[in-house]
Amino acid sequence: MHTITLYTRNRCPLCDKAKAAIIELQDQWKFQLEEIDIETSDELTERYGLMIPVVHLDGEEVGFGYVDKIDISNRLQEKNQIK
């Protein structure tokens, strides 16, 4: 099963939209959603502070800022074909 990791922070409207889009994809694709608040780590805040939300699919960055649901869906489809 694939894992989508959403790097986010509190009071982030783009993060909320990204999470909603990813949750909608769970109707079509099987994956685990892991949400990580970057404010819990200085390293994550330094790495992603200006980019959030950041989305990783199985450890690979696939989107940041404005997260495109169709793009994430296409990436999931590619991963499933590689299996």
Side-chain angles (χ1 to χ4, degrees), residues 11 14 32 34 43 46 69:
R11 297 174 307 281
L14 277 179
Q32 293 180 319
E34 177 184 29
E43 179 186 345
E46 187 175 322
K69 181 173 87 171

Side-chain angles (χ1 to χ4, degrees), residues 5-17:
T5 306
L6 175 63
Y7 293 93
T8 183
R9 70 163 40 121
N10 288 328
R11 297 174 307 281
C12 170
L14 277 179
C15 299
D16 295 339
K17 287 180 182 179

Side-chain angles (χ1 to χ4, degrees), residues 3 9 12 14 18 21 25 27 31-32 35-36 38-41 44-46 50 56 59 64 69-70 81:
T3 300
R9 70 163 40 121
C12 170
L14 277 179
L25 289 172
D27 291 338
F31 59 85
Q32 293 180 319
E35 190 172 355
I36 298 177
I38 66 167
E39 292 178 341
T40 62
S41 162
L44 291 176
T45 299
E46 187 175 322
L50 299 176
H56 284 201
F64 66 92
K69 181 173 87 171
I70 294 170
Q81 290 174 349

